[in-house]
Amino acid sequence: MSRGPFVVLWLGAFAFFLSFLLLLSALPIFARRLGASDGAIGVLMGSFAVTSLLLRPLTGWAADRYG
């Protein structure tokens, strides 16, 4: 069995999630430049974490079920 398609898929997924997480780490810097307070940045980052915690199981199930 060839590992080629698996490696390409893995590298593509890795690059996608790496770019997404790198942008996420820059989000507080952009919010600061737009004038957001420390509290607003905390709420922004916290809401992202809570939302992803709640939605990832559902979206993972949907991706497995519907492709």
Side-chain angles (χ1 to χ4, degrees):
M1 179 181 244
S2 174
R3 282 198 240 165
F6 174 76
V7 170
V8 170
L9 181 63
W10 188 91
L11 287 173
F14 178 78
F16 171 76
F17 287 109
L18 178 65
S19 66
F20 180 73
L21 292 174
L22 287 174
L23 287 175
L24 179 63
S25 65
L27 185 60
I29 297 168
F30 293 132
R32 172 74 64 206
R33 287 190 180 170
L34 292 173
S37 66
D38 288 341
I41 293 172
V43 168
L44 177 68
M45 299 307 290
S47 64
F48 176 83
V50 169
T51 302
S52 67
L53 179 70
L54 295 174
L55 289 181
R56 282 185 183 173
L58 177 65
T59 56
W61 171 83
D64 286 343
R65 173 136 177 130
Y66 300 111

